[in-house]
Amino acid sequence: MPKKFELPNNSPPIIPVVVIENAAKAPDLARALLAGGIKSVEVTLRSPAAIDAIRAISTLVPEIVLGAGTILSPNQMDRAAKAGASFFVSPGATNHLIDAAIQFEQPFLFGASTASEAMALREHGYRRLKFFPAESAGGKSTLKGLEGPLPDLSFCPTGGINQTNAEEYLTLPNVFSVGGSWIAPSNLIEAGAWAEITSLAQTASRLATKI
Ligand code: 3PG
């Protein structure tokens, strides 16, 4: 199968970024997001339970578009792929990761926050990038600045995105998606507050209808 460099054009416009401490909760979390109209989730590899959480979601809730985030090593890519992740996300990009990514069919959303970082990824064939950390890297004005010289690149800003500022990001022509933890915060996951997460997802998914 040919390498898919990036998320497809019809990729979900809102990607909840989650930290899961208890893999047993992961399927219910995915169902709560789907019930609220959110079709994707990025499970960050920041907790010991993350790989088991990915496996549980991919087995029990295969209809959600499932990403593995905070990928920092090829070994994590391998484990996430075997657990069923369908795309990868990293806060940045290294030559080591870029070289390893070519061996996986999963698209990779590499992170960039400067023109040079974005250009380096573009040279490797990536046109859709994570813009991270979005708010502290200049937010919308940085994205507007990148659009002129790099018009073929499109971004998924994450880091400091919330229900209040997400809409403005989504209206930028070079933004294809936004990501963030506001839809499923760790405390609500830990509490199993699925109705609350569904409600946050419903509110967030209405943003997607505006773009
Ligand atoms: C992250 O990697 O933690 C994401 O970018 C989420 O950031 P947020 O918690 O600011 O939404």
Side-chain angles (χ1 to χ4, degrees), residues 64-133:
I64 201 159
V65 181
L66 175 59
T70 323
I71 296 268
L72 303 179
S73 72
N75 177 264
Q76 288 178 315
M77 263 183 249
D78 194 46
R79 293 170 61 222
K82 286 180 176 144
S86 60
F87 69 96
F88 300 140
V89 187
S90 182
T94 65
N95 289 334
H96 192 43
L97 278 187
I98 291 168
D99 288 348
I102 204 80
Q103 297 160 29
F104 293 86
E105 73 179 47
Q106 283 84 354
F108 206 129
L109 197 52
F110 280 113
S113 63
T114 66
S116 295
E117 291 167 5
M119 287 163 63
L121 285 161
R122 185 179 177 281
E123 284 180 1
H124 285 279
Y126 291 92
R127 297 285 186 276
R128 290 187 159 216
L129 310 175
K130 169 168 166 148
F131 177 57
F132 179 83

Side-chain angles (χ1 to χ4, degrees), residues 7 11-15 154-157 169-170 175-179 211:
L7 299 180
S11 58
I14 298 175
I15 305 176
S154 185
F155 296 89
C156 173
Y169 277 98
L170 284 165
V175 166
F176 69 92
S177 174
V178 295
I211 58 172

